[in-house]
Amino acid sequence: VSLATELAAIVGAEHVEADVWLTDASGLGASAPLLVHPASAEEVRRTVAWAYERGVAIVPVGGRSGYSGGIVPEGRDPLVAVALDRLNRVRSFDPLLWRIEVEAGVTTATVQRLARENGLLFPPDPGAPEQSQIGGNLATNAGGPHAFKYGVASHWVTGIEAVIAPGELARFGGPTRKDVAGYDLRGLLIGSEGTLGIITSAWLRLMPAPATAIPVIAGYPTIAAGVQAIEQALASNVVPAAIEYLQGDVLQHAPPPFLDASEIRFLVICEAESEAERDALLDALGPGARTYDATAVWRWRGGVSLVVRGVKGEKLAEDIAVPLDRLGEAIERTLEIGARNSLDACSWGHAGDGNIHSTFMFDPDDASDRARADAAAEDLFALARDLGGTVSGEHGVGKLKRGQLIGQWSEAAVGAHEAIKHALDPEGLFNPGTKDPRPVTAALVGDGSSTGIAS
Amino acid sequence: VSLATELAAIVGAEHVEADVWLTDASGLGASAPLLVHPASAEEVRRTVAWAYERGVAIVPVGGRSGYSGGIVPEGRDPLVAVALDRLNRVRSFDPLLWRIEVEAGVTTATVQRLARENGLLFPPDPGAPEQSQIGGNLATNAGGPHAFKYGVASHWVTGIEAVIAPGELARFGGPTRKDVAGYDLRGLLIGSEGTLGIITSAWLRLMPAPATAIPVIAGYPTIAAGVQAIEQALASNVVPAAIEYLQGDVLQHAPPPFLDASEIRFLVICEAESEAERDALLDALGPGARTYDATAVWRWRGGVSLVVRGVKGEKLAEDIAVPLDRLGEAIERTLEIGARNSLDACSWGHAGDGNIHSTFMFDPDDASDRARADAAAEDLFALARDLGGTVSGEHGVGKLKRGQLIGQWSEAAVGAHEAIKHALDPEGLFNPGTKDPRPVTAALVGDGSSTGIAS
């Protein structure tokens, strides 16, 4: 009996695919020998139990909108990829109690829409909400612009249901808003990128939607002037809902339709949620500051990444984060790294969280360009560590940043990370190669081609 | 060479004590054969390395204001208790960047005061701030009234420094506000009650202090009416900074000085942070609602626990939490549990989080009273599980609630908890007996007397 036949007995033959190319927004890709689409948490459990018994590697797959190649299969054969797209039910929704329980395959946009239609807000707002799924948001502990005021995804999760080794369905937390009865396994699985188990559903907190959202925007002639304005915003006694920046090159590639950015080298967007906050932020950002329409601002802001990608056909977009006092330096040095590697560089990001999307544009058909982009990424990770920051603020490590933790954390801390992995996944079957703290050389599965930036 | 002599070589002879009675606000107590006061993280590291090499159990001791007996030494001899009180330095404070790094022995009140003096707020507000230390706040992942809007302690921590087995100083995170490079060991150690390591310092986030705090208070004739008012507050489009309740018996024992509560069976306190919020909450809580002075309200509210303890000399005060829709039922059934066990019962707590301090008053010199209080606590834990809640919302498990997780989590989930413990503390030397998920019978150290409620 073939593996595919055995899987068909669990999920149904029509929900088993063979030799499926799996890729995400990182451009990395590889072929999965088998991909299944279970219909329920119980079918996920049975799939994992089956895999764990046979020593088959397991790769959870969400909306495929990640930026780190976390779903790119690698390192093992046999291997089964497990898509969560059919776990798309809203299990319960209590708008009056500010909570919702959704399965892992429900899209971020669905949760945001259900909340909005009931006067509520689900604050996490990573990009690509129509495509990304809650399971993936939690697997990476996703952030987004509004994480500055409202926190990252984990803060909005009171409980998860997950399939853990060797094939058990477990709940950690639930609808209760506070719980310290056990270790925070909820928080540990969140951000673990499918390497400790597969999240099958989550209880999410919601909150009343702010009455208004008013972007207050100002342009500056230098990075230093813009960073200084951000510090003034922090001194204004307001917690802006978001503090974003876009460096001048980004504005050239993706000019905002609502203002003339041709002379601007650094744009700051702060979001106010009341008229008093608006006035304080207008004052803090200086005489050039104006308010703009929130819908127009965020629609443009959400499209920046894709536009920049289109400039040369591909980009390496990282997500390092640094302490706030090193923000200006990190932005300046991103440009220097680009120049040093003969690449067009730019950056934008979540300034208030020190989380910068340093981006190197390149031609995907030019092997030399690609090699220089990889070298620039290494320089960037070294920069993050040098500034006391992190190689990943919100995208996750995936395949793209594996091996980097060893330089960021001490040997003892990395040892603790590895001990956790071994304790919860003793056979090492959950998403092999993703979030590896140390550099590894792993064999590929699938078509045997080298994992790399897909053309 | 005696163990005390060896420890003296690490921390200095004047910082080693023998046969010290350790107790906290739970009333549990036992004697520690040795208690040391290291002066630095490095001395903590050397103490742990020494203990781990010799198989000596390690009990971290903070401000001794906990409610669960987490610091009560038990189960092992030899054993060394490690007080963090000399780790009391503020390592860095950047008010303009909303952050502070403090050692574990700095009191909660010190952090709150430093923040306040700079126009900032450290939102976690567990009780006894002058006594409790940040290390203990994090060990229990403490909450408090304002956790409703602002989240529990973990949400305000961007990084920790901790001593882990077998005696290594490790950092997980730092001043950077977002970080997903490794597993969330930061979050895992927070709330682990000293059973996975000893936190020696923490990087805390702060925020601008809200301009105003306006308690909006109303009394109700029944629990049901009060719970309904809370639901109306949730429907008012405001996120109150706190939603507290006090059940009628509490008001008889500890009458508020600012209003006549003699006819009130259920008091609701919502806190507004603007005039608009005040008006919305006045409207939601109904015609009897009034505003009061925040200082007077919170001073009285902070003293309630001690007053209730004094009624009969001792109390069992638990901290179960339930889903919000079960709040009224949980409060009613707390009173029934008291009646069934012939105990005076009352409750108050953090209504918005479903976190209720169910309290049974008893005479500590009356063995029968004490036995009935213990039986009532068991009933209460069963109630929490029955309502889909947790045996501990914010106090931690300590010794008082050990063995209770097995009924709350599935076997697979408890197995994961135990795997984490074994992975990070393979010799089981960190705080033995605390946060044990299963019932255990452990031998005592110290004077050989049974651990119990101290008189």
Side-chain angles (χ1 to χ4, degrees), chain B residues 101-183:
Chain B
E101 184 195 359
V102 297
E103 291 184 334
V106 171
T107 65
T108 315
T110 299
V111 174
Q112 292 171 337
R113 179 179 54 75
L114 285 170
R116 195 170 49 240
E117 288 171 357
N118 289 273
L120 298 171
L121 176 71
F122 177 63
D125 57 347
E130 300 289 345
Q131 190 184 349
S132 82
Q133 299 171 0
I134 291 297
N137 293 173
L138 301 195
T140 54
N141 199 8
H146 292 84
F148 178 72
K149 179 169 184 176
Y150 293 115
V152 292
S154 180
H155 186 53
W156 296 92
V157 182
T158 58
I160 57 170
E161 177 192 81
V163 176
I164 56 176
E168 303 276 359
L169 195 63
R171 288 180 178 196
F172 303 107
T176 306
R177 291 168 56 104
K178 285 164 79 181
D179 187 357
V180 293
Y183 294 142

Side-chain angles (χ1 to χ4, degrees), chain B residues 215-220 225-226 228-234 236 243 268-271 279-290:
Chain B
V216 178
I217 299 182
Y220 302 90
Q228 196 179 357
I230 288 168
E231 288 173 7
Q232 283 160 1
L234 293 181
S236 69
I243 306 181
V268 174
I269 305 172
C270 286
E271 191 162 85
D279 293 344
L281 291 173
L282 280 169
D283 193 44
L285 295 189
R290 301 277 180 277

Side-chain angles (χ1 to χ4, degrees), chain A residues 82-282:
Chain A
V82 180
L84 281 305
D85 53 339
R86 292 177 67 216
L87 274 78
N88 60 1
R89 282 171 289 264
V90 176
R91 290 193 182 167
S92 67
F93 183 27
D94 299 291
L96 296 176
L97 300 171
W98 305 359
R99 71 187 189 200
I100 190 168
E101 183 194 1
V102 297
E103 291 184 335
V106 171
T107 65
T108 315
T110 299
V111 173
Q112 290 171 338
R113 179 178 54 77
L114 285 170
R116 194 169 53 239
E117 288 171 358
N118 288 273
L120 298 171
L121 176 72
F122 177 64
D125 57 347
E130 300 288 346
Q131 190 185 350
S132 82
Q133 299 170 0
I134 292 297
N137 293 171
L138 302 194
T140 54
N141 198 10
H146 292 85
F148 178 71
K149 179 169 184 176
Y150 293 114
V152 291
S154 181
H155 185 53
W156 296 91
V157 181
T158 59
I160 56 169
E161 177 192 82
V163 176
I164 56 175
E168 304 274 358
L169 195 62
R171 287 180 179 197
F172 302 106
T176 306
R177 290 169 56 105
K178 285 163 80 181
D179 187 357
V180 293
Y183 293 142
D184 189 6
L185 273 292
R186 176 204 62 82
L188 184 66
L189 263 80
I190 294 173
S192 71
E193 303 180 40
T195 64
L196 302 178
I198 301 181
I199 294 172
T200 49
S201 82
W203 287 266
L204 306 176
R205 290 198 302 120
L206 306 169
M207 59 171 278
T212 182
I214 311 166
V216 178
I217 299 183
Y220 302 90
T222 62
I223 293 171
V227 169
Q228 194 179 357
I230 288 168
E231 289 173 5
Q232 283 160 1
L234 294 180
S236 70
N237 281 323
V238 172
V239 184
I243 306 180
E244 299 281 298
Y245 83 94
L246 297 102
Q247 178 261 328
D249 297 280
V250 182
L251 303 172
Q252 304 311 309
H253 299 307
F258 47 84
L259 63 78
D260 173 12
S262 55
E263 301 296 317
I264 295 174
R265 300 311 300 154
F266 196 90
L267 193 77
V268 174
I269 306 172
C270 286
E271 190 163 83
E273 294 185 330
S274 70
E275 291 178 10
E277 289 185 0
R278 177 200 64 195
D279 293 345
L281 291 173
L282 280 169

Side-chain angles (χ1 to χ4, degrees), chain A residues 178 325 438:
Chain A
K178 285 163 80 181
D325 45 318
R438 299 178 201 272

